Amino acid sequence: MKNSGDNVFSGIPVGDDEARLFSAYLAAHDLAVNSRRAITQDMRKFARWFASANKEPLRITRVTVRDITDFRDWLRREQGQAVATVNRCLVTLRRFFGWLVDKGHIPANPGKAVKELRRQVLAPKGLDRSQVRRLLREVELRQDIRASAVFSLFLWTGCRVSDLVHLDSSDLMLGERTGTVVFRFGKGGKQRSVPLPLPARRALQVYLDTRPPVECQSVFIGERGALTERGVRALCAKYSAITGVKLHPHLLRHTMAHQFLSDNSNDLVSLAQILGHENLNTTARYTRRTGEQLADAAEKVNY
């Protein structure tokens, strides 16, 4: 068995070829950093469960349909993981074993017959107006110029955290009447140009006027150079504690999407272009009701 620290299964008992094959699978696909990280975590989770449940090292030739079915049920029932998280693990396993079949390493894909969990599709949750107001007021009261620019960019462009941390000065065009930001490293390596409304332009300009003089071309600067995703999440955590509202970057992206549709007569085409969605079905999820909205509607039923 190989358990070397430089393989993806470090600390987990696996066969002699499993780490090499999984690394080859990752290398054979052009994956974003976050996707690679998630897929690796899914595979480690399965390998650890397999070794514990079966009392044997993970070997790809020993994985059965029952193993993957039981792993799915364990994640959901015993670990209480979200349906989306469980289904993502199943997709990871199905694709990996499918690749192994294509390469002739195993005769059949044990994940192919395992069904994903069904779930009611709800709209992604966002902040309401009062919560956004509370956040922006606390930022202003603390005269936190950088936080104002960061949160304004999220709330008025719906960008991802990866979009924000990769911004260079040359990606911003701030005019008196209009403004544009170019996100050059969107999901799937796609570039998109997004308009900058006046509140975002003002917040960014104030920040740029006071930004420390550094050689780094990144728009947002942290203590040791360019602001990182971890730094943005730390900023969200700081203001979560201050406001009492749990904040994270993707929640702010969802907030912008809901508000855009509300203020623009459900213009899905424009929102899809701003968010960088290729498929309108992805954008259409924002037209669904959230769990809270459904609960409020149900409370109004009167017999």
Side-chain angles (χ1 to χ4, degrees):
M1 293 183 300
K2 291 184 179 179
N3 284 312
S4 62
D6 59 354
N7 72 53
V8 293
F9 297 116
S10 177
I12 304 173
V14 298
D16 292 334
D17 295 324
E18 276 59 30
R20 177 182 60 81
L21 288 172
F22 187 66
S23 294
Y25 168 73
L26 292 177
H29 296 80
D30 184 17
L31 299 168
V33 173
N34 288 341
S35 296
R36 181 182 295 266
R37 184 184 303 122
I39 290 169
T40 300
Q41 289 173 347
D42 291 341
M43 200 63 205
R44 283 181 57 83
K45 194 182 297 182
F46 175 70
R48 188 178 289 112
W49 172 86
F50 183 97
S52 174
N54 296 319
K55 300 298 185 289
E56 64 176 85
L58 170 67
R59 291 185 174 87
I60 58 171
T61 56
R62 297 275 297 165
V63 177
T64 66
V65 174
R66 177 178 291 276
D67 285 323
I68 297 180
T69 301
D70 289 348
F71 174 62
R72 176 198 65 189
D73 296 343
W74 175 79
L75 286 175
R76 183 60 179 155
R77 294 173 186 170
E78 296 189 33
Q79 299 299 298
Q81 300 213 340
V83 171
T85 302
V86 176
N87 287 343
R88 190 193 70 191
C89 285
L90 293 179
V91 170
T92 292
L93 294 173
R94 189 181 303 127
R95 289 176 178 173
F96 175 53
F97 284 109
W99 179 83
L100 291 170
V101 171
D102 292 341
K103 296 300 180 181
H105 295 292
I106 55 176
N109 183 347
K112 191 173 182 179
V114 182
K115 295 181 178 179
E116 295 177 19
L117 299 177
R118 298 185 65 181
R119 60 172 176 162
Q120 181 183 24
V121 180
L122 300 172
K125 188 177 180 180
L127 302 177
D128 60 33
R129 285 182 184 271
S130 66
Q131 291 171 321
V132 173
R133 177 177 169 78
R134 189 186 314 169
L135 170 62
L136 296 180
R137 284 187 71 251
E138 293 296 343
V139 170
E140 183 179 346
L141 286 169
R142 285 161 178 76
Q143 298 184 349
D144 193 338
I145 294 172
R146 188 186 67 171
S148 176
V150 167
F151 290 135
S152 293
L153 199 63
F154 279 129
L155 289 167
W156 271 276
T157 71
C159 66
R160 298 180 178 90
V161 64
S162 56
D163 292 326
L164 186 141
V165 298
H166 285 114
L167 271 184
D168 284 352
S169 301
S170 59
D171 297 326
L172 295 176
M173 284 139 277
L174 304 176
E176 287 288 332
R177 296 180 179 275
T178 61
T180 305
V181 57
V182 177
F183 297 120
R184 292 179 292 116
F185 301 101
K187 197 169 185 178
K190 299 178 182 68
Q191 176 176 305
R192 69 188 189 281
S193 179
V194 175
L196 276 173
L198 181 59
R201 295 202 306 273
R202 284 176 173 169
L204 281 165
Q205 191 61 65
V206 170
Y207 167 70
L208 291 174
D209 289 344
T210 59
R211 179 177 173 273
V214 294
E215 294 183 5
C216 179
Q217 292 300 307
S218 296
V219 171
F220 293 105
I221 303 300
E223 293 181 0
R224 300 178 181 85
L227 184 65
T228 63
E229 290 191 18
R230 178 179 293 183
V232 175
R233 296 184 194 282
L235 185 66
C236 288
K238 172 184 174 180
Y239 278 94
S240 293
I242 292 170
T243 62
V245 178
K246 188 170 178 59
L247 302 170
H248 57 83
H250 228 62
L251 176 68
L252 300 176
R253 176 173 165 88
H254 295 329
T255 299
M256 182 273 175
H258 284 296
Q259 198 59 51
F260 182 92
L261 291 180
S262 176
D263 293 342
N264 290 279
S265 304
N266 281 336
D267 185 354
L268 283 173
V269 175
S270 295
L271 179 60
Q273 189 169 337
I274 288 172
L275 296 182
H277 291 163
E278 286 194 342
N279 191 328
L280 273 182
N281 289 331
T282 305
T283 319
R285 62 185 179 154
Y286 291 108
T287 64
R288 296 179 179 271
R289 297 295 183 260
T290 64
E292 287 81 358
Q293 288 171 324
L294 290 178
D296 289 342
E299 289 292 342
K300 295 177 182 177
V301 176
N302 185 28
Y303 291 101

